[in-house]
Amino acid sequence: MPLPTSEDVGRILDAATAGGYALPSINVTSSQTLNAALQGFAEAGSDGIVQATVGGAEYWSGAAKDAQAGARGMALLAHELAARCPVGIIIHTDHCPPKNLDGFLRPLLAASLERAGRGEPPLFHSHMFDGSTLPLEENLATASELLAQCVEAGVVLEIEVGVVGGEEDGVGGADVDHSRLYTTTEELLRTAEVLGTGDRGRYLLAATFGNVHGVYKPGHVKLKPSILRDCQDAAVRTFGQSARFYLVFHGGSGSDLSDIHEALDYGVVKMNVDTDMQYAFTRPIADHFFRNYDGVLKVDGEVGNKKAYDPRTYLALAEKAMAARVTEAAAALRATGTSMLRNGMAAHA
């Protein structure tokens, strides 16, 4: 299955909006987690997003500790493997803070512009600029500049207005004032004024409604999805029916299904799921080691069991478990069986 084109990505987002579902967006930090995500999307019959943060991309680069090189390597491998996946796979960079723009996001955008000049698809389908720690006007000014470049490269921009609590790869609002966890209607209207409502280019908006990175016991996180409804309604009243935002749900791991579904009803088309995926991947590895400790370890001078300590043995178990968690996420997001590419609805399918 060919990778989605820029036009396909737009159709996929429009279909999610019309269908009241969202694409699972999975952070991948290795070929194993990438393969697990692809397997899960294929089993669910859902188009999906694989993504890397700046820290995740640096991890991809190994000892080089070069986030840009790691991102390029991750994207090229994803291009190769996703082309063999029976559903549409969108490749994304997540949470680029202002300090990493020049060394990470802008060079990756430049690479996509070069590829476009050769008639090739972009390196990434979408990029996130996380300017949530900046004053609103500074955040939007930078986002406006990036949006123009993304349009030229055939790439979708994601931005964040408001602050997601907790922390992910050094980015987040662990110490932010509690009120900043809830995006205001005024902030969203100002976003539409500066970035447009689709007329200047398609963008994704992570508006916050109490979201917190990480996973917590029930009752710790107080989500207010109705904030998304109020913001969408205000945008429509001010700018017209076509002014609805493509919303993103960050910090979604461990959320109540009722909150997830309410957020979908208000226009969320992308939901990041990371913490739950990390646990799903790690749990079977721990189980394998506990159950086969005498085979994994050369206990009391014995030789152990090669099949037990062959990384392919326990990593295959981890991939299978994570893939199952991806299919669970797709079901929670009402995305099961909705793949635009698999169903022959995209431009080139």
Side-chain angles (χ1 to χ4, degrees), residues 28-329:
V28 295
T29 54
S30 65
S31 60
Q32 286 80 29
T33 52
L34 172 60
N35 277 323
L38 298 182
Q39 180 183 340
F41 291 136
E43 291 174 355
S46 168
D47 298 328
I49 301 170
V50 293
Q51 62 187 22
T53 60
V54 177
E58 182 179 290
Y59 183 81
W60 270 93
S61 75
K65 294 189 178 300
D66 184 329
Q68 187 191 148
R72 288 171 180 264
M74 172 264 190
L76 292 173
L77 180 59
H79 276 254
E80 189 71 27
L81 299 180
R84 291 159 175 76
C85 195
V87 295
I89 303 299
I90 294 171
I91 308 169
H92 177 71
T93 60
D94 188 32
H95 282 295
C96 178
K99 67 179 181 180
N100 294 111
L101 276 176
D102 291 339
F104 184 73
L105 199 155
R106 286 193 173 106
L108 294 177
L109 264 178
S112 287
L113 283 168
E114 291 176 8
R115 290 168 63 93
R118 300 193 296 267
E120 299 174 1
L123 188 62
F124 287 87
H125 295 101
S126 53
H127 293 287
M128 181 185 180
F129 164 59
D130 185 352
S132 61
T133 58
L134 301 174
L136 179 64
E137 292 302 321
E138 188 177 347
N139 181 5
L140 295 179
T142 303
S144 179
E145 171 203 342
L146 292 170
L147 180 60
Q149 296 170 1
C150 284
V151 170
E152 186 180 359
V155 171
V156 175
L157 177 68
E158 179 183 336
I159 66 166
E160 184 170 312
V161 175
V163 178
V164 176
E167 178 269 333
E168 182 177 6
D169 280 354
V171 179
D175 301 317
V176 75
D177 182 270
H178 188 262
S179 65
R180 294 288 290 126
L181 301 181
Y182 301 92
T183 305
T184 67
T185 297
E186 291 73 23
E187 288 173 325
L188 270 291
L189 290 178
R190 181 59 181 154
T191 299
E193 288 176 357
V194 175
L195 299 186
T197 57
D199 49 303
R200 292 191 49 203
R202 193 187 303 268
Y203 62 93
L204 296 161
L205 174 61
T208 59
F209 51 103
N211 323 48
V212 178
H213 286 130
V215 66
Y216 303 89
K217 291 183 178 180
H220 181 86
V221 177
K222 303 295 185 183
L223 295 178
K224 298 180 181 177
S226 60
I227 287 174
L228 305 181
R229 177 199 61 205
D230 296 343
C231 290
Q232 295 280 38
D233 289 348
V236 169
R237 285 196 305 270
T238 305
F239 299 103
Q241 188 60 42
S242 63
R244 290 177 61 82
F245 294 103
Y246 297 100
L247 296 176
V248 180
F249 187 163
H250 283 248
S253 291
S255 298
D256 289 341
L257 191 60
S258 60
D259 285 333
I260 293 173
H261 286 172
E262 187 177 356
L264 300 183
D265 291 340
Y266 302 146
V268 165
V269 296
K270 173 181 182 279
M271 178 173 166
N272 290 12
V273 190
D274 183 22
T275 305
D276 287 355
M277 295 298 165
Q278 293 173 351
Y279 182 78
F281 187 85
T282 301
R283 179 66 179 81
I285 296 176
D287 182 73
H288 175 81
F289 276 52
F290 280 125
R291 291 178 182 273
N292 300 281
Y293 75 94
D294 54 342
V296 172
L297 303 175
K298 297 181 179 181
V299 178
D300 295 332
E302 294 296 329
V303 297
N305 181 344
K306 182 183 182 305
K307 289 185 178 180
Y309 59 73
D310 184 337
R312 291 172 295 182
T313 299
Y314 51 85
L315 290 178
L317 297 173
E319 286 183 24
K320 182 178 179 181
M322 180 173 161
R325 183 62 184 85
V326 172
T327 64
E328 182 183 330

